[in-house]
């Protein structure tokens, strides 16, 4: 499942590059990205503040990078395909599993779900 990372900074990472992402787990919210390392170029992007709390590291490959320039809305959007191996962390795995469950429930509701009574079979006369 691809992930989209939105960063309040302007950084460009080429499509296809492998990256390592370090995130701080925030209770009841989205994880905060602490650093991104471009493993192909060796460039490390990190926050100035010191990391605190539980840190999760995972690796992936950049699918798309969009840098929005200028003004107060300047940011970077990275579409990343996480690698199967590597510790995504239990909380991240549970959050993704919960999202999958919610999506499955929404799809079941859209197709009728199990709350409807089955139709009675029609009597056939031969």
């Amino acid at each position: 499942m691809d992930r989209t990372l939105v960063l309040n900074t302007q950084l460009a990472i080429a499509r296809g590059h492998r990256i390592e992402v370090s995130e701080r787990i925030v209770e009841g919210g989205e994880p905060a990205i602490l650093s991104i390392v471009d493993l192909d170029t060796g460039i490390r992007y990190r926050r100035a503040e010191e990391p605190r709390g539980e840190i999760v590291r995972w690796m992936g490959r950049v699918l798309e990078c969009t840098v929005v320039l200028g003004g107060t809305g300047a940011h970077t959007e990275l579409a990343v395909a996480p690698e199967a191996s590597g510790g995504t962390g239990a909380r991240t795995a549970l959050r993704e599993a919960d999202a999958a469950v919610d999506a499955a429930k929404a799809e079941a509701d859209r197709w009728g779900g199990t709350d409807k009574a089955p139709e009675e079979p029609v009597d056939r006369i031969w």
Side-chain angles (χ1 to χ4, degrees):
M1 176 182 209
D2 299 341
R3 292 187 60 184
T4 300
L5 306 177
V6 179
L7 307 161
N8 292 329
T9 188
Q10 298 171 348
L11 61 98
I13 300 177
R15 182 185 319 165
H17 280 213
R18 291 183 60 234
I19 61 172
E20 179 186 70
V21 179
S22 297
E23 297 175 322
R24 180 179 66 223
I25 303 300
V26 179
E27 288 295 325
E30 290 293 314
I33 297 173
L34 298 173
S35 70
I36 296 178
V37 180
D38 186 338
L39 298 173
D40 293 335
T41 63
I43 298 173
R44 177 181 308 269
Y45 305 94
R46 69 177 185 90
R47 291 182 183 260
E49 65 203 39
E50 291 298 317
R52 299 174 315 229
E54 181 183 354
I55 297 174
V56 175
R57 288 183 175 81
W58 57 274
M59 290 191 278
R61 190 165 300 277
V62 175
L63 301 174
E64 186 177 322
C65 178
T66 303
V67 179
V68 178
L69 302 173
T72 59
H75 66 277
T76 301
E77 296 175 16
L78 286 174
V80 180
E83 293 180 354
S85 64
T88 58
R91 290 185 183 167
T92 303
L94 286 173
R95 185 173 52 254
E96 290 175 1
D98 288 341
V101 167
D102 292 340
K105 286 180 181 179
E107 190 67 16
D109 290 342
R110 188 170 78 93
W111 286 98
T114 59
D115 59 340
K116 294 181 181 178
E119 294 181 16
E120 293 293 323
V122 178
D123 290 333
R124 295 185 180 182
I125 301 174
W126 298 91

